Amino acid sequence: MAPVAACRTCGICCRFTPGGIVLFATALEMAYLVTGAGRPPAERLPAAGPPDAAWQCPYQEGDRCAVHRWRPLGCRTYFCDAAARAAGERLVGPALQDIRRIAEGEGGAYWYGPARLYWERLSDQSVDAAPKTR
């Protein structure tokens, strides 16, 4: 039986640092997040930079996720607790395949990449647009 992950509400999963966590998401997930939670204030979006540059989720409030209901798969399956991390990682591949089928079935393009790239372009494109790769 897989260990049960308990969130410590430390907020580390929402703070991204070079050489640390890089949040990957699909354009469909990001559109769902923005549609459900609204666009974050522009001053909270990450500045332009490399995909692994330091930034903080614009929806983090203190050490808590303010958009828990709409968070992307990467947020749902990352666990600070190393004992539970493998269980989350096993869910990612099949779930991404499902998301791809949904996106392509709706006639949309499938994009999966660093969420930071999506945030950087949010003000320039519609919420369902996939970022251009660098």
Side-chain angles (χ1 to χ4, degrees):
M1 182 169 181
V4 175
C7 180
R8 299 185 300 246
T9 62
C10 64
I12 195 168
C13 57
C14 301
R15 292 186 296 269
F16 309 99
T17 58
I21 303 166
V22 176
L23 174 62
F24 280 77
T26 66
L28 185 62
E29 291 174 284
M30 297 302 285
Y32 175 73
L33 170 63
V34 172
T35 300
R39 289 176 184 251
E43 66 272 8
R44 295 193 75 181
L45 293 174
D52 65 345
W55 63 288
Q56 178 175 320
C57 177
Y59 294 109
Q60 184 180 21
E61 307 231 348
D63 286 337
R64 304 242 175 188
C65 176
V67 295
H68 201 256
R69 176 179 177 186
W70 299 285
R71 70 197 190 282
L73 180 65
C75 298
R76 293 173 186 272
T77 58
Y78 177 81
F79 301 115
C80 295
D81 179 0
R85 196 167 297 148
E89 290 171 355
R90 282 192 299 274
L91 299 171
V92 173
L96 285 175
Q97 289 174 358
D98 289 343
I99 293 169
R100 176 177 227 138
R101 278 192 292 276
I102 292 167
E104 291 175 347
E106 294 296 317
Y110 178 78
W111 178 86
Y112 177 70
R116 179 186 180 88
L117 296 179
Y118 190 92
W119 290 128
E120 286 177 12
R121 288 156 179 84
L122 185 61
S123 61
D124 298 333
Q125 300 177 355
S126 66
V127 293
D128 60 348
K132 306 277 188 275
T133 55
R134 294 186 209 222

